[in-house]
PDB file of all heavy atoms in Angstrom:
ATOM      1  N   TRP A 111      -1.662 -52.643  20.269  1.00  0.00           N
ATOM      2  CA  TRP A 111      -2.084 -52.021  21.524  1.00  0.00           C
ATOM      3  C   TRP A 111      -1.533 -52.776  22.734  1.00  0.00           C
ATOM      4  O   TRP A 111      -1.439 -53.995  22.747  1.00  0.00           O
ATOM      5  CB  TRP A 111      -3.616 -52.012  21.626  1.00  0.00           C
ATOM      6  CG  TRP A 111      -4.304 -51.429  20.443  1.00  0.00           C
ATOM      7  CD1 TRP A 111      -5.351 -51.948  19.766  1.00  0.00           C
ATOM      8  CD2 TRP A 111      -3.990 -50.203  19.778  1.00  0.00           C
ATOM      9  NE1 TRP A 111      -5.713 -51.150  18.727  1.00  0.00           N
ATOM     10  CE2 TRP A 111      -4.900 -50.065  18.713  1.00  0.00           C
ATOM     11  CE3 TRP A 111      -3.039 -49.216  19.957  1.00  0.00           C
ATOM     12  CZ2 TRP A 111      -4.883 -48.981  17.853  1.00  0.00           C
ATOM     13  CZ3 TRP A 111      -3.020 -48.146  19.108  1.00  0.00           C
ATOM     14  CH2 TRP A 111      -3.931 -48.032  18.073  1.00  0.00           C
ATOM     15  N   LEU A 142      14.515 -18.672  20.701  1.00  0.00           N
ATOM     16  CA  LEU A 142      14.868 -18.203  19.358  1.00  0.00           C
ATOM     17  C   LEU A 142      13.705 -18.367  18.385  1.00  0.00           C
ATOM     18  O   LEU A 142      13.394 -17.465  17.605  1.00  0.00           O
ATOM     19  CB  LEU A 142      16.093 -18.968  18.845  1.00  0.00           C
ATOM     20  CG  LEU A 142      17.405 -18.708  19.597  1.00  0.00           C
ATOM     21  CD1 LEU A 142      18.507 -19.636  19.099  1.00  0.00           C
ATOM     22  CD2 LEU A 142      17.832 -17.257  19.452  1.00  0.00           C
ATOM     23  N   ALA A 261     -30.838 -12.684  17.702  1.00  0.00           N
ATOM     24  CA  ALA A 261     -30.595 -11.689  18.757  1.00  0.00           C
ATOM     25  C   ALA A 261     -30.868 -10.267  18.302  1.00  0.00           C
ATOM     26  O   ALA A 261     -30.715  -9.336  19.091  1.00  0.00           O
ATOM     27  CB  ALA A 261     -29.146 -11.805  19.238  1.00  0.00           C
ATOM     28  N   ALA A 299       1.786 -21.639  42.136  1.00  0.00           N
ATOM     29  CA  ALA A 299       2.581 -20.969  41.105  1.00  0.00           C
ATOM     30  C   ALA A 299       2.271 -21.533  39.717  1.00  0.00           C
ATOM     31  O   ALA A 299       2.163 -20.791  38.733  1.00  0.00           O
ATOM     32  CB  ALA A 299       4.069 -21.110  41.410  1.00  0.00           C
ATOM     33  N   ALA A 321      -1.499  -3.399  17.137  1.00  0.00           N
ATOM     34  CA  ALA A 321      -2.327  -2.270  17.584  1.00  0.00           C
ATOM     35  C   ALA A 321      -3.409  -2.853  18.485  1.00  0.00           C
ATOM     36  O   ALA A 321      -4.572  -2.950  18.111  1.00  0.00           O
ATOM     37  CB  ALA A 321      -2.931  -1.530  16.395  1.00  0.00           C
ATOM     38  N   ALA A 633     -23.625  -6.298   2.698  1.00  0.00           N
ATOM     39  CA  ALA A 633     -22.354  -6.087   3.404  1.00  0.00           C
ATOM     40  C   ALA A 633     -21.215  -6.306   2.412  1.00  0.00           C
ATOM     41  O   ALA A 633     -20.853  -7.438   2.111  1.00  0.00           O
ATOM     42  CB  ALA A 633     -22.227  -7.052   4.576  1.00  0.00           C
TER      43      ALA A 633
END
Side-chain angles (χ1 to χ4, degrees):
W111 308 132
L142 293 174

